[in-house]
Amino acid sequence: MVWIFYLYLINTFFMLVIAIREVRRPSKALNWITIALILPIIGYWLYLSTSNPKRVHRKRLTSSGNESDKLPDTYSDSAMRIADALRHFTVHGFRVGQVQVLNNGIPKYDQLIESLQNAQKSIDLEYYIYRNDQIGNRITELLIEKAANGVQVRFIKDGFGSKQFPRYKILQMINAGIECRTIFPLRFPWIISNWNYRDHCKIVMIDGKEAFTGGINVGYEYTGLKPDVGFWRDTHLRIIGEAAVDLQTIFDVHWDIALPEQVESKIKSKIPKKPTKSQEVGRTSSAGLSRWSTELASEVSAIDKSPEKGRLQKAYIHTLEGNPGVPTPVIRQAYFICITQASKSIDITTPYFVPEEDIIMALKTAVARGVRVRLLVPRHIDQKIVGYASRTYYGELLEAGVHIYQYDKGMLHAKLMVIDEEVAEVGAANYDMRSFRLNYEVCEILYSADVARELTQQFELDLTDSVPLKIEDLLQRPLTQRIMDQSARLLSPLL
């Protein structure tokens, strides 16, 4: 049994290394030390693999911070302070653009397909999840058609999120002239050092002047019509004008670090000779697309009472990129700045809420300043461990005066924040350490009372499908549930 003693010494040494390295973040150090105690040696390997990014783009995309780059004087003091604080974290400072809010999957796909059909020169797509289903086939076939007509098409997918996207489909795209790449592919040797990192962005660029970004991936479940998933609540943006250029910059940087697809010749034999049922669904004639959109719209109308596609609104825009290769979590800092500078109201919608302590303190302090803070989270969550961990934060927020609502209509996947009815944030990042520190993320800070008003109207509508959370609800949890919740919180560095 001498080996047990040596294992204990080695693991103790590893825990000391964690404590020393994370001395500036005691809560993170304690979490990892606990994991190392529960999983000797393995826990330390998990820590290293999530704290030492390799083959990750390390340059932070930030602007030079032009002093003249300011909001007009018509904006409130809180908006001015937020804009001034964030200008050093943005890609290229202020941009002006036209913004269209797309609530839920049907309006997003309807508008996206229309815009793709109108593309003349170039199409760039980057998605965390890109499925080979009714929706994915529609878009893929359209990309192949546009490439055949001379449009330059580039395609990036995440190795983990899109791991089920078939290789033969990639080959079809490559043979059609589409350039395909993958970030963090699940193959040796990249998986060894990058297994816990993700490209969580959802970006589409069309002709360098029209962009789509937000929380909606490519998949049938996002329509809200998939029987085993149910209604899906989400938010996306369409951006037209100079503001779209920043998303092009982010895409180009990610393109350079992504790995070209290498499809084996044997995959050719797996390409169906005749179109499968899903491929038949994916044919992209103008009439077919119109009919498909009408059918989906009629199906969803019975269950979706969200506003129709929003109209274009003028906005000043800051674009931010989260990057796992740099020590400063830009997205987290942006959230913190927005919360701490709010003077009247904060409305947050997020599917995953496992934040770091500074975000919790910022929310509690905002309430103490007299700011109305409302947090909308899902009642039914697809990631059970995340849901368990989230509940451990609700008690202190409720006691501080934060209003928490649980969305009960279906799956809540939207990620947005509205500050003082004038500043809005929409993107792909959640309130968790994965989005803050482990993922490539993108978010848009929008300075526009019109956009903020539209997002607030949707927030109020979502509240009608939500249940207020009371402190009594948390106190009535059985002991076993409380233990599970606290145990899940220990895993927060990995969530």
Side-chain angles (χ1 to χ4, degrees):
M1 293 296 184
V2 176
W3 65 272
I4 296 180
F5 175 72
Y6 285 112
L7 179 63
Y8 168 78
L9 288 180
I10 294 172
N11 200 54
T12 300
F13 172 77
F14 286 159
M15 288 190 292
L16 286 173
V17 172
I18 294 174
I20 293 172
R21 290 190 58 178
E22 302 296 339
V23 67
R24 293 183 297 176
R25 301 176 61 208
S27 59
K28 179 182 178 182
L30 181 60
N31 279 2
W32 277 114
I33 289 172
T34 304
I35 293 174
L37 279 172
I38 298 172
L39 302 171
I41 310 300
I42 296 176
Y44 183 67
W45 175 78
L46 288 172
Y47 167 74
L48 287 181
S49 62
T50 60
S51 303
N52 289 285
K54 298 177 181 178
R55 299 185 180 92
V56 175
H57 168 64
R58 294 175 179 270
K59 182 180 178 181
R60 191 174 78 183
L61 294 176
T62 56
S63 68
S64 59
N66 190 340
E67 292 292 339
S68 63
D69 211 12
K70 295 182 179 297
L71 283 175
D73 294 336
T74 54
Y75 281 82
S76 65
D77 290 341
S78 58
M80 299 285 279
R81 290 194 299 267
I82 291 171
D84 187 60
L86 288 181
R87 59 191 172 88
H88 296 291
F89 300 104
T90 62
V91 176
H92 286 129
F94 266 124
R95 298 285 193 180
V96 179
Q98 299 290 319
V99 177
Q100 181 181 9
V101 177
L102 302 169
N103 288 308
N104 301 331
I106 298 295
K108 183 257 176 132
Y109 295 134
D110 188 29
Q111 183 61 62
L112 174 62
I113 288 175
E114 179 183 334
S115 296
L116 290 174
Q117 286 181 305
N118 294 330
Q120 300 295 317
K121 298 179 180 178
S122 64
I123 298 173
D124 293 331
L125 290 93
E126 178 178 354
Y127 276 102
Y128 173 61
I129 294 175
Y130 193 95
R131 299 200 188 282
N132 186 43
D133 58 13
Q134 294 98 317
I135 303 299
N137 272 315
R138 283 290 184 188
I139 296 175
T140 301
E141 294 296 329
L142 182 53
L143 295 179
I144 290 174
E145 178 184 313
K146 299 304 291 188
N149 291 332
V151 176
Q152 181 190 42
V153 182
R154 297 187 295 175
F155 174 81
I156 301 176
K157 65 179 178 65
D158 177 75
F160 180 83
S162 301
K163 61 181 180 294
Q164 295 181 346
F165 192 70
R167 304 291 288 170
Y168 79 82
K169 205 69 177 181
I170 291 291
L171 182 60
Q172 285 183 346
M173 296 169 74
I174 292 175
N175 288 342
I178 299 173
E179 299 179 79
C180 300
R181 295 190 179 186
T182 299
I183 292 185
F184 305 134
L186 297 182
R187 63 177 186 266
F188 185 82
W190 296 277
I191 191 174
I192 301 300
S193 59
N194 293 326
W195 70 275
N196 199 35
Y197 297 99
R198 307 281 186 270
D199 175 17
H200 199 239
C201 299
K202 296 92 176 167
I203 298 173
V204 178
M205 284 297 310
I206 299 172
D207 293 339
K209 60 184 180 181
E210 180 179 0
F212 291 80
T213 190
I216 304 177
N217 289 289
V218 171
Y220 188 59
E221 66 267 34
Y222 295 89
T223 64
L225 301 175
K226 194 171 183 180
D228 58 338
V229 176
F231 183 77
W232 192 286
R233 169 72 190 92
D234 220 323
T235 298
H236 218 73
L237 295 178
R238 176 188 180 212
I239 301 174
I240 298 176
E242 67 174 24
V245 176
D246 289 354
L247 288 168
Q248 183 70 68
T249 298
I250 293 174
F251 179 92
D252 290 340
V253 170
H254 293 179
W255 179 260
D256 289 339
I257 65 175
L259 296 171
E261 286 287 351
Q262 298 177 349
V263 183
E264 299 83 357
S265 59
K266 63 181 180 181
I267 301 295
K268 295 180 180 179
S269 61
K270 297 184 180 181
I271 299 178
K273 299 297 183 181
K274 296 181 180 181
T276 63
K277 184 177 180 180
S278 62
Q279 287 173 315
E280 284 290 353
V281 174
R283 296 302 183 190
T284 56
S285 65
S286 298
L289 285 172
S290 176
R291 182 171 60 253
W292 169 75
S293 178
T294 302
E295 290 173 354
L296 287 183
S298 62
E299 290 182 59
V300 81
S301 62
I303 60 174
D304 184 10
K305 59 182 181 181
S306 301
E308 296 181 356
K309 288 189 301 182
R311 59 186 182 276
L312 288 168
Q313 311 273 17
K314 180 182 177 181
Y316 293 90
I317 302 175
H318 274 152
T319 300
L320 289 79
E321 184 223 26
N323 190 319
V326 297
T328 302
V330 171
I331 303 296
R332 189 196 71 179
Q333 284 196 264
Y335 288 178
F336 182 83
I337 289 170
C338 289
I339 294 170
T340 55
Q341 298 306 312
S343 61
K344 295 189 298 183
S345 62
I346 302 171
D347 291 334
I348 296 174
T349 301
T350 181
Y352 310 118
F353 188 76
V354 191
E356 296 184 79
E357 287 300 322
D358 55 351
I359 298 295
I360 295 295
M361 183 57 67
L363 291 171
K364 292 163 65 175
T365 304
V367 174
R369 295 196 311 271
V371 178
R372 184 198 65 187
V373 180
R374 298 186 294 183
L375 174 63
L376 179 61
V377 294
R379 190 175 187 183
H380 310 285
I381 192 167
D382 57 342
Q383 303 290 337
K384 296 297 184 183
I385 295 180
V386 177
Y388 296 156
S390 296
R391 278 197 292 264
T392 64
Y393 295 90
Y394 295 157
E396 60 179 309
L397 290 177
L398 288 170
E399 290 177 348
V402 175
H403 303 280
I404 301 179
Y405 301 87
Q406 292 182 304
Y407 189 75
D408 197 34
K409 184 178 179 180
M411 176 61 193
L412 178 71
H413 193 253
K415 309 126 188 316
L416 58 95
M417 174 167 48
V418 180
I419 303 293
D420 293 348
E421 302 175 348
E422 199 172 36
V423 181
E425 177 275 329
V426 178
N430 302 299
Y431 284 72
D432 57 26
M433 295 186 194
R434 173 167 294 283
S435 284
F436 292 159
R437 298 181 179 275
L438 300 176
N439 291 347
Y440 286 116
E441 300 280 8
V442 63
C443 78
E444 304 295 319
I445 308 296
L446 312 161
Y447 304 88
S448 167
D450 292 332
V451 174
R453 186 182 306 110
E454 189 171 347
L455 291 171
T456 300
Q457 289 174 352
Q458 179 63 52
F459 186 90
E460 298 287 352
L461 186 60
D462 291 337
L463 292 187
T464 65
D465 294 312
S466 304
V467 179
L469 181 66
K470 305 296 183 182
I471 192 68
E472 293 79 12
D473 299 329
L474 297 175
L475 295 176
Q476 291 172 1
R477 288 175 299 161
L479 178 61
T480 53
Q481 186 62 65
R482 297 185 191 185
I483 294 175
M484 290 178 62
D485 292 349
Q486 295 294 339
S487 300
R489 183 162 175 171
L490 291 175
L491 299 176
S492 57
L494 297 173
L495 299 180

